[in-house]
Amino acid sequence: MFDEMRLSDAPDSGCRDPYQEYAQWFGSEDPSRLRKKASEAEAFFRRTGITFNVYGAEEAAERLIPFDLVPRIISAREWSKLEKGIIQRVQAINAFLYDIYHRQEIIRAGRIPLELVENNEAFLPEMIGVDPPGKIYTHIVGTDLVRTGEDDFFVLEDNARTPSGVSYMLENRETMLHMFPELFSQIKVREVSSYPRNLRRSLGESAPASCSGDPVVAVLTPGIYNSAYFEHSFLADQMGAELVEGHDLRVVDGRIAMRTTQGYSPIDVLYRRVDDEYLDPLTFNPVSQLGVPGIMDVYRAGNITIANAPGTGIADDKAIYSYLPEIVEFYTGESAILKNVETWRCSEPDQLAYVLENLQDLVVKEVHGSGGYGMLIGPTSSKKEIETFRAKLKDKPGNYIAQPTLALSTVPIFTRKGLAPRHVDLRPFALTSPQQTVVAPGGLTRVALKKGSLVVNSSQGGGTKDTWVLEE
Amino acid sequence: MLGKTAGGLYWMFRYLERSENISRLIDAGFRIALTRSKSANDEWASVIRTAGVRESYEQKYDSYTATSVIDFLLRDSDNPSSVMSVVDSARLNARLVRTALTREVWESTNECWMTLKQLLARPVSERELPRVLDTVRQQSALVRGALHGTMLRTDIYNFARLGTFLERADNTARILDVKYYVLLPSVSFVGSSLDNIQWETILRSVSGQRAYRWLYPAKVDPVTIADFLMLDARMPRSFAFCYTHIAANLDYLEKDYGISRPCHEQADEILDNLKETTIDQIFEDGLHEFIGEFISRNISIGNQIENDYQFYGNAV
C-alpha cells in the first residue's frame, strides 16, 4: 500500500518530500486546537451553504460533504507530468469527438470497432456533421486519477460530459486559507482561485464566430433541487454569469435568449449542467422541462455554444475507455503519457470468461453507470453478492467492464486518535478553448473516510481534502 | 437581470417580512391571553383570521386554544404561512437568487433558517415562547441589516424592498381589517379598560405601542390610532410609509430601465390617495370599506409588478 505522506507504517517513519514542511508544522500543533478547527470548518460550510442534495432522502435533504483538514500534497515534478498527460488526453478526446461525428477516420483505420460507437447509447446521431463553434466539444473535463505508487498514476475515468466538484476545489482552499493562514506563508502552494476567471475566458474564447463584442455567458442548471445546485450558483456567481433554468430561455430570432426584467436578451455561450437527454425536448426527451425547445436548431446553425457539446458522452463511456491509449496515439502521434487501468471488456467472450473466473479479485462496473452505483468490488463482496452479480453479468455482458482491484494510494486524515491513512483519488479540471487547454493546479481529492474502504464517492460516505500543488 | 431573479428577490423578502409579522401577531395574541383569559379563545381566532389561514386551521382543529394556534402559526408545515414555512420559502428563494445576493445576505438568510429549524424542531412551550419570538424577529432583522449594509443600490435592491413593503402594507391592513370594529366610534367607550386593551393589541401587533405613546403621550383614541397606522408616513409600518417606499422603489426601476409600466401609475395613485385623504374622511366614508379597498389594490399592484417585470411562474 502506497501512502503519499509516510515512507512506511512504522510510527516513527519519516515523510516523503512533498510533505516534509507540512509534517513539521503538524508535529508542532496542539491536537485539541486542530480538533476545534475541524468543527469550525464544518460550521463554516454549513453557514455558507456548501451542501449537496441527496436524492430520495427526506430528512437532511441537504448534506455536507465531510472535509478533512490534512491537505493532499503533490510536488511540482509530479504535477508537471500529470498536467502534460491531462492536456494530451483532453486534446485527443476532443479530436476523437470531432472525428467520430464527422469522417470517422479512426474506425476506417480499424483502430476501434464500428459497433462500439454505433450501438452506443452515448453516441448522438443528431450530432453527426455538426460543427461546434471553434470545433471544441470538451470545454471542461474532470479526469479521475488514482495512484498506486511513487510514479504510478492511472486514469480511472475521463469525465467529459458535465464534470462536477470544482466548487469543492475552490471552497476547500478558501477554508484552509481561513483556518491556517500561517501554513500558506510557510509553504508555497500554487493558487487555484483563478479557475472561475479562466473558465469565463475559456468559454468566451469558444463563443460562436458570429458573436461580436463581449460574449454573454449563462450557466444552465436543472434547478435548486439538483444535487450540484450549489456548484452551479457558485460558478455563475464567480464568473459574473447569469444562472438560468430551461424556463428562463427560449429561441428568439434564431438565437437563445433569456427572459429578463426588460424582455428577452440573447446569450452566446451556455455552460450547461443539464444532461444531453434533457437539453432539447424537440430533439431528445420530449417530456423534458429542463431544457430549451429548439436549442439544437440554434446550435446547428452555429448561433450558440453549448459547453460541453452534446454527445461528448461517447468519449467517457467505459467501453470506449479501454481504447483511450489507441485514441491518444491515433490523434497525437505520441504514446499516452498517462496510463489506463487494465480493462477487460465483457462484450468479448474470452475476456468475459476471464472475468467470470476471477470475479472475487476484480472490480466490475456498468458501462454507463456512475457515482459508484451498480458496481461489484470483488474482494470486499460476499459470496452471495458475487453470485448475484455473476447472473447479471452473464445476462448482459456488453453492459460491463472489469478492472483489477487497485491498491489505491492513501493520504492521512485527521481523526480523534491522530493521523490515519485513507484511500484517495484525484480529479483535476482542464479547460479547453480553441486557443488552449489549461489545467487548474490542484483538483478535487476525494477520500474514503471509512478505514479500508475504496469508495470515495460523496454519495457513499466519501469526504474531500484540499489539494496542494507545490511551487517549483 | 433575469425576471426569475427579480421574482425570487421579491418573494424572498416578502416571506422574511411575513415571518416577522406572524411572530408579532403571536406576541400580541399571547399578551392578551395572559391578561384576559376569558376571551382568550376569541383573540386567538382573530389572530388566525388576521394571518389569513383560517380555512386551513379549521381543517385541522375544532377549537382555538393557545397551544394549537401557536403551534400552527410557528411551526406547522401544513400551514404555508407558519414561521417555519415562510422561512423555508425565503431560503429557497435565496438559493434561487444566490448570484444576486452578497455573501453576507445569503449567509444571514441561511443562518436564520438554521437557527429557526433548530429552535422550532419541537413544540414551543409558553415558557420559551417570548425568547423564540424575539429570535424570529432578530434573525429577520439580521438579514435586513446585511441587505442595507452590503448590497448595491441597483434593481436587485429595489426588487427586494418592493417585496418587503408590499408584504408589510398587506399585514398592517389585515390587522386593521380584522379589528376595525374596535376602532369605530359608535361602539367605543372611551377610556374603558376593554378598549384600551384592544387598542394596545393592535399597536402591539405592529410593534407600535411605544412609538405611538411617544408621539401622542396623552391621547389614546381610536381615530388617532387609525391615523397613525394608515396615514402617518413617520410610522414604518403604516400604509403611507410603505407606499412612499414602494413608489420610490418603482421610480428607481423606471429611471434605471428607462420605461414606465402600468404598476408605476398604480403606485402613484395609491400614494396620492393616502396623501390627500384625511382620517375624518375615511371614517365618514367607512373605515372597513377603505381598508378592504386598500387590501385589494395592494394585491393588484403586486400582480401588476410580477407581470411588468416578467417574474412569471417562478416564485417557489
Side-chain angles (χ1 to χ4, degrees):
Chain A
M1 200 80 76
F2 181 79
D3 189 81
E4 298 189 13
M5 180 166 172
R6 302 203 166 206
L7 287 163
S8 80
D9 286 345
D12 56 348
S13 143
C15 267
R16 293 180 201 280
D17 281 345
Y19 284 85
Q20 290 289 356
E21 282 174 285
Y22 178 78
Q24 223 166 34
W25 173 87
F26 185 86
S28 65
E29 281 295 300
D30 174 7
S32 67
R33 184 181 99 100
L34 291 175
R35 267 197 289 279
K36 211 169 131 236
K37 290 275 180 190
S39 61
E40 269 173 37
E42 193 184 312
F44 173 77
F45 280 120
R46 269 200 200 285
R47 202 174 64 237
T48 50
I50 307 176
T51 56
F52 72 105
N53 300 352
V54 184
Y55 295 116
E58 278 290 327
E59 289 299 306
E62 289 172 30
R63 269 193 232 157
L64 289 182
I65 297 185
F67 169 72
D68 176 65
L69 55 77
V70 182
R72 196 261 186 93
I73 308 178
I74 298 168
S75 72
R77 184 187 59 81
E78 288 163 349
W79 180 255
S80 121
K81 188 179 163 196
L82 291 181
E83 191 182 26
K84 282 196 196 84
I86 292 167
I87 292 174
Q88 180 198 47
R89 197 159 166 120
V90 167
Q91 292 182 339
I93 287 175
N94 199 67
F96 168 70
L97 283 163
Y98 186 82
D99 184 28
I100 219 72
Y101 286 118
H102 291 81
R103 289 185 47 81
Q104 305 196 328
E105 299 287 359
I106 195 167
I107 296 173
R108 292 165 196 243
R111 302 291 283 270
I112 65 167
L114 177 64
E115 317 83 71
L116 195 64
V117 173
E118 291 214 319
N119 302 333
N120 198 311
E121 284 174 33
F123 179 74
L124 291 188
E126 295 85 350
M127 283 296 290
I128 295 173
V130 176
D131 278 351
K135 294 189 183 176
I136 300 300
Y137 288 82
T138 52
H139 306 82
I140 301 116
V141 174
T143 312
D144 282 350
L145 299 168
V146 294
R147 187 178 193 181
T148 58
E150 187 74 53
D151 282 314
D152 303 310
F153 284 93
F154 294 89
V155 176
L156 200 57
E157 218 171 295
D158 301 282
N159 297 291
R161 300 172 204 213
T162 51
S164 64
V166 77
S167 57
Y168 293 94
M169 169 180 91
L170 298 166
E171 287 287 356
N172 287 353
R173 176 63 54 81
E174 284 305 309
T175 307
M176 288 295 280
L177 282 165
H178 189 74
M179 289 198 296
F180 308 114
E182 74 277 14
L183 256 177
F184 291 88
S185 56
Q186 282 171 37
I187 306 174
K188 292 295 159 215
V189 179
R190 291 183 62 186
E191 60 101 21
V192 289
S193 59
S194 55
Y195 178 84
R197 220 169 29 250
N198 281 330
L199 176 60
R200 177 70 181 72
R201 176 193 47 72
S202 189
L203 291 172
E205 288 170 356
S206 309
S210 57
C211 165
S212 55
D214 199 16
V216 177
V217 177
V219 179
L220 176 66
T221 173
I224 59 171
Y225 297 106
N226 183 267
S227 63
Y229 179 77
F230 164 74
E231 178 157 302
H232 308 160
S233 68
F234 177 86
L235 290 174
D237 192 29
Q238 299 271 313
M239 286 196 288
E242 288 290 359
L243 179 64
V244 298
E245 293 174 45
H247 56 76
D248 295 316
L249 301 177
R250 67 156 64 147
V251 179
V252 179
D253 299 333
R255 297 181 67 187
I256 298 298
M258 55 188 170
R259 195 185 69 250
T260 76
T261 50
Q262 302 174 77
Y264 279 86
S265 165
I267 59 180
D268 302 299
V269 181
L270 191 61
Y271 174 21
R272 51 88 178 222
R273 296 293 295 259
V274 166
D275 292 343
D276 285 353
E277 195 196 340
Y278 301 104
L279 206 50
D280 185 347
L282 300 184
T283 304
F284 307 114
N285 188 338
V287 301
S288 171
Q289 305 272 326
L290 305 176
V292 190
I295 190 172
M296 283 303 287
D297 294 334
V298 178
Y299 188 60
R300 276 190 283 263
N303 289 332
I304 181 96
T305 297
I306 300 178
N308 289 351
T312 54
I314 185 70
D316 69 10
D317 180 84
K318 290 192 182 72
I320 293 286
Y321 165 87
S322 59
Y323 291 95
L324 243 297
E326 283 97 322
I327 289 173
V328 171
E329 222 177 286
F330 188 78
Y331 297 104
T332 67
E334 302 159 3
S335 56
I337 299 169
L338 291 171
K339 288 177 274 193
N340 252 23
V341 178
E342 189 180 4
T343 302
W344 291 277
R345 306 169 191 130
C346 301
S347 53
E348 297 177 19
D350 51 333
Q351 302 203 14
L352 174 66
Y354 175 86
V355 172
L356 289 170
E357 194 76 7
N358 294 283
L359 272 182
Q360 69 284 357
D361 302 321
L362 298 173
V363 177
V364 190
K365 296 175 179 173
E366 275 184 38
V367 174
H368 304 295
S370 70
Y373 291 103
M375 63 190 273
L376 175 84
I377 302 178
T380 60
S381 298
S382 69
K383 275 218 166 86
K384 203 174 146 209
E385 284 165 335
I386 290 180
E387 288 320 306
T388 318
F389 208 90
R390 186 189 303 278
K392 284 204 287 189
L393 184 54
K394 278 183 174 160
D395 189 35
K396 283 188 179 157
N399 265 2
Y400 297 92
I401 54 139
Q403 290 170 339
T405 319
L406 296 179
L408 296 193
S409 62
T410 55
V411 173
I413 62 166
F414 183 67
T415 70
R416 293 199 155 275
K417 292 177 192 151
L419 296 180
R422 293 292 185 273
H423 297 291
V424 294
D425 76 353
L426 175 63
R427 178 181 295 173
F429 294 89
L431 298 173
T432 303
S433 76
Q435 272 82 58
Q436 59 189 322
T437 298
V438 293
V439 188
L444 170 66
T445 290
R446 299 185 298 177
V447 53
L449 296 174
K450 232 168 72 189
K451 193 174 171 185
S453 168
L454 293 168
V455 185
V456 296
N457 302 74
S458 54
S459 49
Q460 298 193 47
T464 67
K465 283 172 166 295
D466 189 16
T467 309
W468 291 5
V469 171
L470 300 181
E471 286 185 7
E472 295 280 351
Chain B
M1 185 186 355
L2 292 177
K4 172 187 69 184
T5 307
L9 287 159
Y10 170 88
W11 281 105
M12 172 185 169
F13 281 90
R14 274 201 86 143
Y15 285 127
L16 278 172
E17 179 69 22
R18 194 172 301 173
S19 74
E20 259 185 84
N21 295 337
I22 298 283
S23 91
R24 283 201 184 86
L25 282 179
I26 300 172
D27 191 32
F30 187 55
R31 182 77 178 205
I32 210 164
L34 288 181
T35 45
R36 297 168 72 226
S37 52
K38 264 191 199 156
S39 58
N41 291 358
D42 295 346
E43 202 51 47
W44 285 124
S46 89
V47 166
I48 287 287
R49 269 204 297 150
T50 310
V53 293
R54 182 168 156 193
E55 212 170 297
S56 53
Y57 180 87
E58 289 185 348
Q59 270 174 16
K60 195 155 182 169
Y61 298 103
D62 299 329
S63 65
Y64 287 91
T65 67
T67 321
S68 52
V69 171
I70 290 171
D71 198 65
F72 190 72
L73 289 179
L74 268 185
R75 43 188 301 279
D76 199 324
S77 55
D78 293 337
N79 171 11
S81 284
S82 74
V83 168
M84 199 62 241
S85 300
V86 295
V87 169
D88 257 335
S89 306
R91 180 173 177 271
L92 279 180
N93 278 287
R95 288 192 76 194
L96 190 73
V97 301
R98 169 123 186 213
T99 53
L101 302 173
T102 58
R103 190 158 188 145
E104 280 91 336
V105 172
W106 158 253
E107 285 185 10
S108 55
T109 309
N110 194 34
E111 211 158 334
C112 168
W113 176 80
M114 289 192 293
T115 306
L116 295 183
K117 194 103 188 146
Q118 200 176 25
L119 210 57
L120 301 177
R122 280 176 306 280
V124 176
S125 71
E126 272 189 17
R127 196 162 38 165
E128 294 168 297
L129 188 63
R131 184 175 68 91
V132 169
L133 296 177
D134 282 346
T135 309
V136 174
R137 276 173 299 190
Q138 274 163 13
Q139 290 297 328
S140 168
L142 286 173
V143 181
R144 193 165 44 239
L147 179 83
H148 285 309
T150 66
M151 296 278 291
L152 289 173
R153 267 39 175 187
T154 58
D155 46 354
I156 295 177
Y157 180 82
N158 283 281
F159 280 113
R161 299 301 278 163
L162 280 173
T164 303
F165 291 118
L166 274 164
E167 179 69 24
R168 189 180 293 174
D170 179 70
N171 177 65
T172 302
R174 278 174 194 284
I175 291 170
L176 290 170
D177 190 42
V178 171
K179 290 275 185 181
Y180 79 96
Y181 59 89
V182 308
L183 296 172
L184 293 178
S186 55
V187 294
S188 83
F189 306 92
V190 176
S192 83
S193 67
L194 184 123
D195 282 333
N196 272 329
I197 287 170
Q198 285 288 1
W199 297 339
E200 170 134 355
T201 306
I202 294 178
L203 289 170
R204 192 175 283 280
S205 312
V206 293
S207 295
Q209 70 276 29
R210 292 204 57 218
Y212 180 86
R213 239 179 282 140
W214 202 11
L215 290 174
Y216 307 103
K219 199 176 172 193
V220 187
D221 75 277
V223 179
T224 313
I225 292 175
D227 184 57
F228 178 64
L229 293 182
M230 297 194 295
L231 304 182
D232 192 334
R234 295 170 298 180
M235 161 59 183
R237 314 196 82 80
S238 72
F239 299 179
F241 183 93
C242 292
Y243 267 86
T244 306
H245 283 268
I246 289 168
N249 293 134
L250 287 174
D251 267 354
Y252 176 93
L253 294 174
E254 185 178 338
K255 289 206 182 74
D256 190 28
Y257 293 170
I259 182 163
S260 176
R261 302 197 180 270
C263 62
H264 296 106
E265 205 178 309
Q266 286 187 21
D268 291 343
E269 262 173 40
I270 299 175
L271 182 60
D272 288 348
N273 181 251
L274 290 169
K275 276 183 182 160
E276 282 156 18
T277 195
T278 63
I279 197 67
D280 294 336
Q281 188 67 43
I282 291 172
F283 273 86
E284 197 169 303
D285 294 348
L287 175 63
H288 197 217
E289 288 72 12
F290 180 81
I291 297 167
E293 170 74 14
F294 179 81
I295 290 177
S296 67
R297 293 177 89 177
N298 196 53
I299 291 171
S300 136
I301 194 173
N303 294 337
Q304 192 63 48
I305 291 170
E306 293 189 19
N307 200 44
D308 288 348
Y309 292 106
Q310 318 237 19
F311 295 3
Y312 178 66
N314 300 296
V316 176

